[in-house]
Amino acid sequence: MSRHTWVRTCAFLWGAVVFMPVGLNYAGAVFLIIAMLAGGPLPERLDRLRTHPLRWPIAAFLLWTLAVLAFGPRYPGTPVELGHGLRIATTMVLPILLSDEEAAWGLRGFFAGALLALTVMLLTCAFGLPDLPLWHNLTTMKGNKSINDALLFALLGASAATWALALPRTTPKRLAWLAAAFAATLGCAVIVTLALPSRTSLIALFVAVLGACVHQWRLRLRALAVSLCVVMIAAGGLISQAPSAQEKFKLGVQEIEAAQAGAVSEGSWVVRFYMYRETSRMMIERPWAGWGVGSWTSEWHRRAPSLLHDYNMPHNDFLWMGSQTGVPGLLALALVFATGLGMAWRRADLAGRLAFVAMLVLLVATSVNSANRDAAIGLSLPWIVFLYLRRAHGASPALAGDRPAGDPVRR
């Protein structure tokens, strides 16, 4: 096997294990880095980074974190939080270093992994497969790894809908392809509603499909209005047929009302209410450089109700950065998202639209969960999202030709 093939293979393998335990994702990242270092050509890869629009936002995120580390206080959690910061930056940079072909193989791995994950779930329902650690979080909703898997299915469903919406009218057997694509979207919606129930993933899927409509028909307001109405009606129909989803959203509203009244419990939205309130206060008290890298857990223990002490992240990465590294740290992370969304928006073809949709899923997950800071999500979802973004920045010849007439590619 040639050195070039090694990189392509490692990208595929990391994509294929994103639904599996976090240790396999760490292994995928390490093998890819080794393959890159051994496979070359390093100057060509570094040239991609030097000319990429995300180079300065990622550098700002990393350098400001290191500056706060150098001049700020130390905490017991400082080494761990520094490690997460370095991992986040590395996960963002690695897809940029890949060639178009290597990035495509990474996404093929993701699709293969999704097919395998779906097969495992179906076989477990039909025949009761043994509950092995390799797929435990696919068959049992437990922890952030299951939330990661639900978010990946949301991304997959949004991608299928985005592809279907852009399918040219002249495509042979177009109706059959449309039916298959929208069936995949519906299937992913059912998964994140029933099999791996996640309000975050359901919201991300809805927002992403709306974003795909806006991206595609931004110059045709009548078509945009119709498409948005159809999507909202379809989403309402799905929720109306899923009492469990309705109950989860109603419970969330009740939890927020209870938390505002002073109640303390381990309800999901109660915990987030206190986390967001106390973390915002941390940031307001020290807006310029925060409390220091690794400070959040110590400050949380000092401020939070005793029942809620057992958390080590605020379930919002923007607030996490703002509390530990100040407003500049929050803005650095926000700039990464703004630049990625801007890149995808300017590219008006299917490659740009898929990247835009992927960035929206990651943005929702980052805003209401620790989609970057928590390695259970942060070694899977951002890796796949930045592969989408890498394809949008490259030539993407297989996708670039499929765009609305009169809507030119803007690079």
Side-chain angles (χ1 to χ4, degrees):
M1 185 181 295
S2 67
R3 291 182 176 183
H4 172 73
T5 305
W6 272 114
V7 177
R8 190 173 63 187
T9 302
C10 289
F12 177 89
L13 291 176
W14 188 2
V17 300
V18 290
F19 291 90
M20 298 180 185
V22 66
L24 291 175
N25 286 270
Y26 270 113
V30 170
F31 287 144
L32 180 61
I33 293 171
I34 293 172
M36 281 186 177
L37 293 175
L42 287 179
E44 180 181 327
R45 298 190 187 281
L46 294 177
D47 282 342
R48 294 192 191 105
L49 181 59
R50 279 193 290 265
T51 59
H52 200 281
L54 279 170
R55 66 192 185 282
W56 294 120
I58 294 174
F61 169 84
L62 182 58
L63 292 176
W64 186 254
T65 300
L66 294 176
V68 171
L69 174 70
F71 298 103
R74 300 290 190 276
Y75 298 88
T78 296
V80 173
E81 298 297 336
L82 175 61
H84 286 302
L86 296 175
R87 173 186 51 75
I88 291 169
T90 301
T91 306
M92 294 175 178
V93 166
L94 286 176
I96 297 174
L97 300 177
L98 296 175
S99 68
D100 280 352
E101 182 188 11
E102 291 161 351
W105 275 96
L107 289 176
R108 290 181 186 122
F110 167 53
F111 299 137
L115 181 60
L116 178 61
L118 181 59
T119 301
V120 167
M121 296 172 74
L122 292 175
L123 290 177
T124 300
C125 290
F127 304 106
L129 292 180
D131 186 17
L132 299 180
L134 190 63
W135 56 67
H136 174 72
N137 293 98
L138 277 168
T139 57
T140 303
M141 187 63 186
K142 182 179 180 182
N144 272 357
K145 189 58 189 174
S146 292
I147 293 174
N148 165 77
D149 296 343
L151 285 166
L152 289 172
F153 276 117
L155 174 56
L156 190 68
S159 300
T162 302
W163 179 83
L165 291 173
L167 201 62
R169 294 183 179 181
T170 56
T171 303
K173 299 182 179 180
R174 181 171 180 267
L175 290 179
W177 285 113
L178 287 174
F182 285 124
T185 302
L186 178 61
C188 289
V190 170
I191 288 173
V192 303
T193 303
L194 300 177
L196 295 173
S198 167
R199 287 170 294 202
T200 300
S201 302
L202 196 57
I203 293 170
L205 176 57
F206 176 64
V207 169
V209 175
L210 287 179
C213 294
V214 174
H215 191 287
Q216 178 160 338
W217 288 298
R218 51 188 150 172
L219 301 179
R220 299 165 56 192
L221 297 184
R222 183 176 298 178
L224 175 59
V226 172
S227 65
L228 294 181
C229 289
V230 170
V231 171
M232 287 188 284
I233 291 171
L238 175 65
I239 296 296
S240 68
Q241 298 302 313
S244 60
Q246 297 175 43
E247 289 302 317
K248 285 180 72 70
F249 281 105
K250 289 179 183 177
L251 177 61
V253 173
Q254 293 169 0
E255 288 175 346
I256 291 177
E257 292 173 346
Q260 289 176 329
V264 178
S265 71
E266 292 192 276
S268 177
W269 287 15
V270 172
V271 174
R272 281 175 170 80
F273 174 86
Y274 284 103
M275 281 181 171
Y276 294 173
R277 188 186 70 180
E278 297 306 323
T279 306
S280 297
R281 288 174 177 174
M282 295 178 204
M283 187 169 57
I284 292 170
E285 290 171 14
R286 293 190 180 182
W288 301 115
W291 291 81
V293 176
S295 61
W296 189 86
T297 302
S298 299
E299 282 300 308
W300 172 249
H301 287 169
R302 188 168 69 85
R303 300 163 184 259
S306 57
L307 180 65
L308 306 180
H309 274 196
D310 293 336
Y311 292 91
N312 61 1
M313 53 190 172
H315 287 66
N316 180 306
D317 285 340
F318 297 109
L319 292 179
W320 170 66
M321 284 294 294
S323 65
Q324 296 201 140
T325 62
V327 174
L330 182 154
L331 292 178
L333 181 59
L335 184 59
V336 172
F337 280 87
T339 303
L341 286 168
M343 287 173 54
W345 180 260
R346 287 190 297 271
R347 180 155 184 163
D349 63 0
L350 181 56
R353 195 166 306 125
L354 287 167
F356 188 72
V357 161
M359 286 297 295
L360 287 177
V361 172
L362 182 59
L363 178 61
V364 170
T366 299
S367 300
V368 296
N369 212 310
S370 295
N372 296 281
R373 189 270 176 209
D374 190 320
I377 307 175
L379 272 166
S380 302
L381 182 63
W383 157 244
I384 299 302
V385 169
F386 276 77
L387 284 176
Y388 274 80
L389 203 58
R390 171 66 186 87
R391 293 286 289 167
H393 187 251
S396 302
L399 301 178
D402 188 9
R403 59 180 183 274
D407 199 5
V409 175
R410 293 188 291 272
R411 298 285 294 282

